[in-house]
Amino acid sequence: MFLTLLLGLLCEAKSVTYQVRRHSTIMDPIHDIHQVEYRVEMQFGSMKQQMELIIDTGSSDLWVPSVEAKGFYNYVKRYDCSASSTCINTDSSYSIYYDDGPISGTLAWDQVWIHNIKFNQSFLLIERANGNIASSGGILGLGFNSIAANPNPSILESLYQQKLISKKYFSLYLKDEGEYGSYILFGGIDMQFAQEGQQISYVPLMSTYQYLIGIEGMSIDDDLFNIPTALVDSGTSCLTVPAVAMDNMLDVFEEKGVHCSYRVESYAPSYCTVHCLVTATSEQGIIEAFPVIKIRVNSSLELLLNPQDYIYSCTILDGSQSRCNTKLERSEIDDILLLGDAFLHSYYTVFDQTDKQIGFAHSINNKGLKLHVKTRHLSNYALMLIILQVGLLFIL
């Protein structure tokens, strides 16, 4: 995955029109867990066992937790091959080391459903997992088959070979707010997820095995921070910037009065490592203090991120400044900008393996979202304690 493995997706009970005919667009709802995990629900085997799978464009294998898997939390859904009359479990063993830890298991075959669409699919049954994977369930790898541990057709290739989609591509819309409302579309594009009047701008891939594109860098005003490549990875939660470019970028933030530092938080709302203090105590004041970040792909295409796009939440501290948790992360990986979920919230994105290109259009999210701004009431609480203590002194 080029993971920071944080993503999530589930089945939504909304009414969505699905085409069941051949060469259809298969539209699958996504469950957003704190903008950290994005999961899709699929069904496996003759008993249609429901599994929750993390969408990951940075890896290519389909991993499903087995009932005999070790290392998983009790609430994670697991697949029982013995309960399916159509399951074929092999003795072939596989293992992969992801950023969140290793996974190992065996190869299996069975019927798989994405809503009412049934097809035959091979997958890897997880026998052991560690780290965040152990708490998240399975993985739906949507990268190129050339980097898969499993040599058999991937989900995308299976849908294409079994004539359920006419082309090996999918599009991804991640809603910025709310638990539901995000979608993945296999074999199709729906421009309702792009801003009105937008067209999709396509960029050729530099790699035959990753969604990697060439870029000129990131910029703020006239300052350009050189980064030669960008990887579009839904298995990464943050906008992850190489260390040198991030340090230089935060120097520009500092000149604008935004003071940032690196800090790792273990709880979901602060999952990225760049946190900032700004002398502003209103939503508009915070937006005006933070700069617009531009990802310069080439002379004709810039992908803009407004402050609302890369700030997760802000807390007013004492009436004179606010602390903001951003969706930015500093990386020690040289020369690669990771365009994770923080970026995908702002751009409706098309992943095209057939024509080896990736397309971007301003998402309907990218139009001036409201910030999550709250006031910390600790100062008022402290004042109440002082008043109470003074009152007790007079009574005594």
Side-chain angles (χ1 to χ4, degrees), residues 1-7 35-36 38 55-58 99 174 231-240 271-272 329 338-344:
M1 297 183 191
F2 234 104
L3 300 166
T4 303
L5 233 173
L6 305 153
L7 302 143
Q35 298 181 25
V36 174
Y38 290 86
I55 291 180
D56 182 30
T57 63
D99 287 0
L174 298 185
L231 180 68
V232 187
D233 180 17
S234 67
T236 296
S237 297
C238 310
L239 181 69
T240 306
Y271 55 87
C272 301
E329 185 172 50
L338 292 181
L339 302 178
D341 300 329
F343 170 83
L344 292 170

Side-chain angles (χ1 to χ4, degrees), residues 279-299:
T279 306
T281 57
S282 68
E283 178 183 333
Q284 190 58 40
I286 292 169
I287 290 172
E288 291 174 355
F290 279 85
V292 173
I293 296 174
K294 300 176 184 178
I295 300 167
R296 189 181 298 176
V297 179
N298 51 49
S299 59

Side-chain angles (χ1 to χ4, degrees), residues 33 70 105-106 123 135 145 170 184 201 226 264 277 351 374:
I33 301 177
K70 297 178 181 178
T106 58
F123 50 92
S135 63
N145 214 54
F170 64 94
I184 182 170
S201 298
N226 292 317
V264 177
L277 286 173
F351 300 81
K374 59 184 179 180

Side-chain angles (χ1 to χ4, degrees), residues 8 54 118 121 145 149 152 173 177 180 193 209 226 286 312 346 384:
I54 293 170
K118 182 178 76 171
Q121 182 62 42
N145 214 54
N152 296 293
Y173 166 69
E177 294 179 324
Y180 297 106
F193 298 128
Y209 59 90
N226 292 317
I286 292 169
Y312 183 86
S346 301
M384 289 175 61

Side-chain angles (χ1 to χ4, degrees), residues 50-205:
Q50 292 185 346
M51 297 291 118
E52 296 173 14
L53 308 171
I54 293 170
I55 291 180
D56 182 30
T57 63
S59 68
S60 302
D61 287 289
L62 173 59
W63 288 95
V64 179
S66 166
V67 288
E68 300 176 355
K70 297 178 181 178
F72 280 89
Y73 292 101
N74 292 333
Y75 59 80
V76 173
K77 294 180 180 180
R78 308 181 192 202
Y79 170 76
D80 186 355
C81 180
S82 64
S84 172
S85 61
T86 51
C87 177
I88 300 174
N89 198 352
T90 73
D91 295 327
S92 301
S93 298
Y94 296 88
S95 62
I96 298 180
Y97 191 91
Y98 291 100
D99 287 0
D100 283 337
I103 305 182
S104 59
T106 58
L107 177 68
W109 292 81
D110 210 336
Q111 303 172 57
V112 176
W113 279 262
I114 301 177
H115 289 283
N116 296 324
I117 308 298
K118 182 178 76 171
F119 55 101
N120 298 315
Q121 182 62 42
S122 69
F123 50 92
L124 299 176
L125 272 176
I126 303 175
E127 295 180 343
R128 184 178 295 275
N130 297 307
N132 288 324
I133 298 169
S135 63
S136 300
I139 300 170
L140 174 58
L142 292 171
F144 288 83
N145 214 54
S146 55
I147 62 169
N150 177 6
N152 296 293
S154 64
I155 282 275
L156 200 61
E157 289 185 332
S158 292
L159 291 172
Y160 175 71
Q161 290 178 6
Q162 294 174 47
K163 303 186 185 306
L164 295 170
I165 58 176
S166 60
K167 185 178 175 181
K168 286 193 296 183
Y169 77 130
F170 64 94
S171 57
L172 195 59
Y173 166 69
L174 298 185
K175 190 171 182 287
D176 189 73
E177 294 179 324
E179 191 174 356
Y180 297 106
S182 300
Y183 293 95
I184 182 170
L185 285 74
F186 294 98
I189 297 169
D190 191 336
M191 293 304 290
Q192 71 166 317
F193 298 128
Q195 288 185 29
E196 187 176 353
Q198 277 280 305
Q199 292 185 336
I200 295 175
S201 298
Y202 285 96
V203 181
L205 296 176

